[in-house]
Amino acid sequence: MYHTKRIDGREFNILIQGSGEPFLFVHGFPLDHSMWNAQIAEFSKTHLVIAPDLRGFGASKCDDEKVTMLDYANDLAAMLDEFSIDTPVNLCGLSMGGYIAWQFYRNHRSKLKSIILCDTKAAADSEAAQQTRRETSEKVLQNGPGFLAEAMPEKLFSAVTLSNNQAVVEQTQSVIRSTSPQTVSAALLGMAERPDVTEMLPKIDFPTLVVVGEHDSITTSAEMQEIANTIPNADFIEIRDAGHMSPLEQPEQVNSAIADFLKNR
Ligand code: MLT
């Protein structure tokens, strides 16, 4: 069931489904909660699934000029409080959702039970990457997100998905096209200044699963293997025939990896 909640003066759209231990899904950029549809369907059979649209994305509203990863993490903590969810959550974040997961770990540790990091990075942006984000932010504000919807599938999806699963590609493009320019720009500026969390990794003392698509070109398998090697006791899984959007591209493989992880921890 969808809930509309006002938190700190902003309106959020939050899907809550199922019952049991809470399981929070945090989407990537510039998407919305629907990228988790296959995980929501599966894990709401056994868990209380919470799948929000982050500030401004999907049906949530926002007119901030910049939103930091900590802002998004604080929103998630406030949502849990709004729903009186005080049992620690399993948190699954993809890419930007992973950047937010690091900040949630750093600032809201008492609300966490386990962490699932899909296709994400611990390192900050290089100077050049920050500059590209600032230019993209300007371009989106001037022209809208249409050019991103055209350009991103090449980077987001594996060749297998691009040729065999046009429905998923088009659905993702349609979400990107309908995201407000202001929201896309605010997230780009927030991502550009996100901190490097590499130093924090050896201290992470929660059960952690690291998931990556074998053909992910944005956050490579080697980079994610390195994250898994650095976090004590993290599990690592590479998803066959998937790119950056592994949970959307190969939901059965990802769901089964998550289910095994949750069962064994
Ligand atoms: C995402 O999928 O959330 C983006 O690739 C994150 C980013 O642009 O760094």
Side-chain angles (χ1 to χ4, degrees), residues 27-31 35 94-99 119-121 125 133 152 156 188 191 194 218-219 244-245:
H27 63 76
F29 166 89
L31 306 172
M35 62 150 286
L94 178 130
S95 200
M96 184 177 82
Y99 310 156
D119 305 272
T120 194
K121 286 179 201 284
D125 280 355
R133 293 220 200 253
M152 284 189 82
L156 294 180
L188 282 165
M191 283 193 285
R194 73 185 192 282
I218 300 178
T219 52
H244 188 61
M245 298 300 298

Side-chain angles (χ1 to χ4, degrees), residues 102 122 197-205 226-228 230-232:
W102 304 129
V197 297
T198 315
E199 302 256 297
M200 188 175 84
L201 302 183
K203 297 180 205 129
I204 294 184
D205 49 1
E226 183 62 33
I227 292 176
T230 315
I231 298 175

